[in-house]
Amino acid sequence: MLALRTTPWPLVAVFTAGYLPPYLLPTTVGRLDTGLPLSATQAGAVGSALLLSSASAGFLLASRVERAGARTLARFGLALAFLGYGAASLTTAVPAVVVGAVLGGFGSGTATTVAATRIAAERDPHRASTAGLLSVSALAGAVYLTVPHLGRSHGLPLAAIALTALAVWPLTGRLPAGTGASPTARTASGPLPHRRSGLVLAVTVLCWSLAQNSLWGVSGRIGLTQAGLGDAALGLVFAVALGAGLMGVLVAGALGPRLGRAMPVGAGTALIAGCIVVSASATTPTAFATGEIAWNTLYPVVLSYLIGLAASLDARGRWAVLVGSASSLGTAAGPLAGSVLSAQAGYAGMGLVLAGGLLLVAVPMTAVALHTGGRPLLPGTIRRRGGTPAALVAAATGTPSGAVPEVGAAEQPVVEIDVDAPALAVRGAYDTAGPRQAAAAPGPGPG
């Protein structure tokens, strides 16, 4: 269970506001298609433009959060999201909708960047990211249950995102202000650690998110046209799927680092590939609901471990932001890629292509998790070759004190570090035998 006293709830709220647009992507794209004079491919392109703008914010601001201040950037991003999405929800002019969605996407990306950077600096980033995914899943599920009963307007999902940004804005007062050009900030600004692992993770997470959101972007159309669901029934399926995602996030939070990161990332991605095949090829409501619910149960679990893996590569959160932005790029290309693939190969063919791609990227992602994660070790014992120090792993992942270190060929010998210690208290009754050492504290002479 998540610890209420140790969870950074303002960060969780900002995380929720930033991540909500991708979660509402099916209904947002679907309503742009039906509520505006846009084709399915054009609506997917608008969704891609929104998410591409969100990704660009991460790349532009990854190294500026500490200097500008989390509070200032979060407020800027949330205000831009409110204005952009709000304006897009109130107009039916296609150019104005596109501009508003792009501006709102940049605001959402700014909020996500702030949340990712600060979460990486937390004592337990996995707990914080799990709480964020739990929150955004619950909110998105509520929107899917509510929106179908409010009409067919294209602006309803956009208005929900805008109102969320407005509600979260007051909570940013508890975020830290900027550090300016403080000596601490200048000292901490070193080269990115784990560059090879970070680059591999960024590229593979981009492809991973592309596959997920290629299906997610057209899931609404699969349910309506191929599986034969109505609008209200489709909304119910999505709400139940996101509810199952809540259970998945709770399980991930309860398991924490017990399974490491390699098995949840690798095996979870393989299972997701199977769920995508089932969902994309579904021709009945039951098959479609089964695929969507199973997929949405597993997706946030794997995502939470990927976020934690990226955060573990750099305590300043730079890899967390860059990997998150790469994920946003994949998310951005998803709606358009899904529309093109489904138009060329059909929904079932698209599912097979996406599943094959997921199985391919699962291998390098798992390798990164194995290389940088190591085993749960006792603080101050052994350093894994090429990985993080054992003390850091144990502290960052909350390793139980009963964990037993394993010594093998992959471990390096312990490196002793000299630490200056205060001199021993002077004893009046006796002194050390033999000649006095040069570094010893002076004591009383004999006699």
Side-chain angles (χ1 to χ4, degrees):
M1 296 299 291
L2 299 175
L4 295 178
R5 289 180 293 178
T6 60
T7 302
W9 291 111
L11 282 181
V12 170
V14 175
F15 182 99
T16 301
Y19 262 77
L20 186 59
Y23 270 71
L24 296 183
L25 192 63
T27 186
T28 301
V29 171
R31 284 173 177 265
L32 290 175
D33 179 11
T34 59
L36 295 176
L38 294 171
S39 67
T41 302
Q42 290 172 332
V46 174
S48 292
L50 184 160
L51 297 173
L52 182 62
S53 179
S54 179
S56 66
F59 287 115
L60 289 173
L61 302 174
S63 61
R64 293 175 170 83
V65 174
E66 190 173 307
R67 180 182 296 271
R71 184 190 309 163
T72 301
L73 278 182
R75 287 178 172 177
F76 168 75
L78 293 173
L80 194 60
F82 172 71
L83 294 174
Y85 292 126
S89 69
L90 296 175
T91 181
T92 56
V94 173
V97 171
V98 173
V99 171
V102 169
L103 288 177
F106 192 88
S108 296
T110 302
T112 302
T113 300
V114 172
T117 302
R118 297 302 306 170
I119 285 174
E122 290 291 314
R123 177 184 176 189
D124 190 348
H126 183 78
R127 181 188 298 278
S129 60
T130 299
L133 292 172
L134 187 66
S135 175
V136 71
S137 297
L139 180 58
V143 172
Y144 277 115
L145 284 176
T146 304
V147 162
H149 302 287
L150 300 178
R152 295 291 304 165
S153 171
H154 78 282
L156 288 173
L158 297 171
I161 302 171
L163 292 175
T164 300
L166 180 64
V168 170
W169 199 92
L171 302 178
T172 58
R174 299 181 61 184
L175 297 178
T179 60
S182 65
T184 303
R186 289 194 300 266
T187 302
S189 59
L192 279 171
H194 301 290
R195 287 197 173 190
R196 183 183 302 173
S197 297
L199 287 173
V200 170
L201 185 63
V203 172
T204 53
V205 166
L206 187 155
C207 298
W208 187 87
S209 295
L210 173 64
Q212 309 288 332
N213 287 278
S214 293
L215 177 63
W216 189 235
V218 298
S219 286
R221 278 180 272 155
I222 294 175
L224 292 172
T225 62
Q226 182 172 281
L229 280 79
D231 191 52
L234 181 65
L236 179 61
V237 169
F238 284 150
V240 173
L242 290 173
L246 294 178
M247 298 304 298
V249 173
L250 287 174
V251 170
L255 287 175
R258 290 180 179 85
L259 300 178
R261 292 193 183 103
M263 190 174 79
V265 168
T269 298
L271 291 174
I272 286 173
C275 294
I276 285 179
V277 172
V278 172
S279 184
S281 61
T283 55
T284 64
T286 301
F288 178 77
T290 301
E292 290 289 318
I293 291 171
W295 173 36
N296 280 276
T297 302
L298 294 168
Y299 168 80
V301 176
V302 179
L303 180 59
S304 69
Y305 281 97
L306 288 174
I307 293 173
L309 177 58
S312 71
L313 297 180
D314 178 27
R316 292 187 63 211
R318 290 170 293 178
W319 275 125
V321 173
L322 293 174
V323 170
S325 298
S327 174
S328 296
L329 282 178
T331 301
L336 184 58
S339 298
V340 172
L341 277 174
S342 60
Q344 297 296 322
Y347 293 125
M350 177 197 69
L352 291 174
V353 172
L354 297 178
L358 280 176
L359 292 177
L360 287 177
V361 301
V363 176
M365 285 197 304
T366 305
V368 171
L370 286 171
H371 179 67
T372 62
R375 296 175 182 266
L377 300 173
L378 290 173
T381 51
I382 300 167
R383 179 185 177 107
R384 301 285 299 180
R385 185 181 302 276
T388 51
L392 179 59
V393 172
T397 60
T399 305
S401 60
V404 178
E406 297 186 14
V407 180
E411 284 99 11
Q412 296 175 349
V414 177
V415 178
E416 296 185 1
I417 302 175
D418 295 329
V419 179
D420 292 334
L424 296 174
V426 177
R427 298 180 181 273
Y430 59 90
D431 196 4
T432 55
R436 196 182 305 276
Q437 298 296 322

